[in-house]
Amino acid sequence: MDGALFKSPLLTQSPAKIILKFSLPLIIGDFCQQLYNVADSIVAGRFIGTNALAALGAAGPIMNIIIFLLIGFAMGGGVIMSRHFGNKDFESLKKVMGSALIIGIIFTLVLSALSIALSKPFLILLNTKESLLNGADNYLKIVFAGAVFTYLYNFYCFAVRSLGDSYTPLVFLFISVAFNALLDVLFVVVFKWGINGAAAATVLAQMLSAMLCIIYTHKKFELLRLKKQNLKIDKGAVFEITTYSLSMSLQQVFVYVGRLAIQGLVNTYPESVVAGVNSGTRLDALLQTPMRGYTNALTTYTAQNLGAKKYKRVVDGYKASWIAVAIFGILSTLFTVLLGESMVKLFDDNAEVIKSGTGYLISIGWGYMLMCIIVQSQAVFKAIGMLKTFVASTFISIVFRIALSYLFEHFWGLEGMFWAPAASWIVGGSFCFICMMGAYKKLLLPLASKRGDSQDSGSAPVEDTQLFTEGEGNNLT
């Protein structure tokens, strides 16, 4: 049943074309995923009011930390599965899948319980205004209660993608987004449930997408069909799963802890400013989807070809990715500069909301080329096992982003703070570029030129992948 997938196009077709082809559904899927939040924000701003839009803005960074923690955890298992699939080690792939599913569900349930208990204290810690506190807290509690569906959907998405299929989950995501929009209108506009209705719509839509993805994967892909004996934690796979998954999760945490710290500063401004920055943040996430989707495809491509010992294809894929960096970086900047104000007006017609949202979006847009360099490098770091560098690159960017936000705000006010993300990307982009050039010259090029592509990918790739693991004598950072 899965015979066709055993000849993954990621291992055979032209690197430039296949990475782009594989990335298209990921880009569209990520865009649709962001529409959950955008739909909630538009409905809240238009049909509940500026206060509700500001409450979502206050809740956003906390919610994103938890959601992307779960996505990072699911992503870690997917990278390992891609390597095993590329090496045709299907027994190990199934062990990793079963173990990662159980570990991930336990992790999600514990994290959800803690998040529900601590959501209000965190909002208070972030200087959330009293007028926004209850709405933001209720929204977070409802979303966190359904977090297990977010994990399950993303886990099965990454499992299917690890075999080279990026199209299947997209259909279910389309259905889910449409269902979410329908429920937003029903719960908020018709039933008048307010911000609680927007949260409930998101959870129910995520539950639908998770159920559809699980059912389809079980019926369609025999290799990914877990039976009762597979639903256990394999001791031999625990270390690898937790190392990769926690690294991915930690990177996501750094990103959103930085935004959380900045949200505390934004919350000291009037509600209209909070609402405006929330609008800009939502649009920023949408505009970054092309590069995020492309680099997720680059990670899977690199991991599969590394597992198959096709090192020249790894190098060719990295070279091809520079074209995407240039295109996505330039187009994203043009969108923010030329259409930023028009996009912000979709959320609210309040003049202060539009002004602050547009200012934030255009300022951050000038740094998109640097952001593209960062995520491009991080995609390869994840695939080849440079996990320390992967996490460090995010940590450096976030530390500078927080520090510069408070520094620029102190000297130049709100507009100064808007330029902090782009400024921090100068540091993060430089670090990533230097580390990636070191890995390219010291590791990738020598393997590609001396060994060539192995035609027999049936042997375990452990010895080769150790070359890509940061340790003694591998001073890439």
Side-chain angles (χ1 to χ4, degrees), residues 115-129:
S115 301
I116 291 171
L118 297 175
S119 62
K120 194 164 189 175
F122 271 120
L123 286 167
I124 294 172
L125 188 64
L126 290 173
N127 302 315
T128 304
K129 288 179 170 53

Side-chain angles (χ1 to χ4, degrees), residues 452-464:
D453 285 354
S454 171
Q455 299 303 313
D456 177 14
S457 60
S459 57
V462 175
E463 293 181 2
D464 291 321

Side-chain angles (χ1 to χ4, degrees), residues 40-83:
D40 285 352
S41 295
I42 291 176
V43 170
R46 289 289 177 178
F47 296 99
I48 306 176
T50 299
N51 178 275
L53 182 59
L56 287 179
I62 298 176
M63 179 185 70
N64 286 331
I65 283 180
I66 304 304
I67 297 303
F68 281 92
L69 254 174
L70 301 178
I71 293 175
F73 210 89
M75 187 188 303
V79 173
I80 301 169
M81 291 169 67
S82 294
R83 282 193 182 178

Side-chain angles (χ1 to χ4, degrees), residues 175-386:
I175 296 172
S176 178
V177 169
F179 189 55
N180 179 60
L182 177 65
L183 291 181
D184 269 333
V185 174
L186 182 65
F187 292 168
V188 176
V189 181
V190 179
F191 292 166
K192 308 294 184 183
W193 289 354
I195 199 169
N196 293 349
T202 297
V203 170
L204 290 174
Q206 287 279 16
M207 180 174 68
L208 177 64
S209 61
M211 290 174 60
L212 291 174
C213 203
I214 291 170
I215 293 170
Y216 180 83
T217 302
H218 183 78
K219 289 186 175 181
K220 182 69 175 179
F221 304 111
E222 186 177 352
L223 183 58
L224 301 179
R225 189 179 301 157
L226 296 178
K227 299 179 181 179
K228 187 176 181 180
Q229 60 266 30
N230 302 126
L231 295 175
K232 61 181 180 180
I233 298 176
D234 182 77
K235 293 181 180 179
V238 169
F239 179 78
E240 187 179 26
I241 292 170
T242 53
T243 299
Y244 264 85
S245 296
L246 290 177
S247 294
M248 307 298 169
S249 294
L250 190 59
Q251 185 262 353
Q252 299 290 347
V253 168
F254 284 158
V255 170
Y256 285 97
V257 163
R259 295 184 183 181
L260 195 66
I262 296 167
Q263 186 68 46
L265 183 60
V266 174
N267 287 346
T268 62
Y269 283 84
E271 287 182 12
S272 58
V273 173
V274 178
V277 173
N278 173 46
S279 303
T281 300
R282 299 291 194 228
L283 291 168
D284 171 44
L286 277 175
L287 289 169
Q288 289 189 30
T289 55
M291 196 58 197
R292 279 201 307 268
Y294 183 88
T295 52
N296 280 335
L298 179 61
T299 297
T300 302
Y301 167 90
T302 304
Q304 275 198 16
N305 282 280
L306 176 63
K309 301 183 182 179
K310 295 180 178 291
Y311 304 120
K312 186 176 184 302
R313 287 181 60 79
V314 173
V315 171
D316 291 343
Y318 173 68
K319 288 179 180 178
S321 70
W322 276 103
I323 299 174
V325 168
I327 293 173
F328 291 142
I330 293 171
L331 289 180
S332 297
T333 298
L334 289 176
F335 261 96
T336 61
V337 174
L338 300 178
L339 301 173
E341 183 174 347
S342 298
M343 290 188 290
V344 172
K345 285 181 178 179
L346 294 172
F347 292 83
D348 203 316
D349 53 10
N350 183 296
E352 282 300 315
V353 172
I354 295 170
K355 179 182 177 181
S356 56
T358 304
Y360 174 85
L361 189 61
I362 292 177
S363 299
I364 205 170
W366 284 109
Y368 276 149
M369 182 65 73
L370 295 166
M371 179 275 297
C372 288
I373 293 174
I374 292 173
V375 295
Q376 174 211 31
S377 300
Q378 289 177 336
V380 181
F381 294 156
K382 287 185 289 186
I384 66 178
M386 291 177 59

Side-chain angles (χ1 to χ4, degrees), residues 358-417:
T358 304
Y360 174 85
L361 189 61
I362 292 177
S363 299
I364 205 170
W366 284 109
Y368 276 149
M369 182 65 73
L370 295 166
M371 179 275 297
C372 288
I373 293 174
I374 292 173
V375 295
Q376 174 211 31
S377 300
Q378 289 177 336
V380 181
F381 294 156
K382 287 185 289 186
I384 66 178
M386 291 177 59
L387 300 182
K388 293 178 183 177
T389 306
F390 168 66
V391 174
S393 62
T394 304
F395 180 76
I396 290 170
S397 294
I398 295 307
V399 167
F400 274 89
R401 182 170 182 171
I402 295 172
L404 293 178
S405 292
Y406 280 83
L407 183 66
F408 288 4
E409 195 273 342
H410 176 75
F411 285 105
W412 299 297
L414 187 66
E415 292 185 4
M417 185 186 71

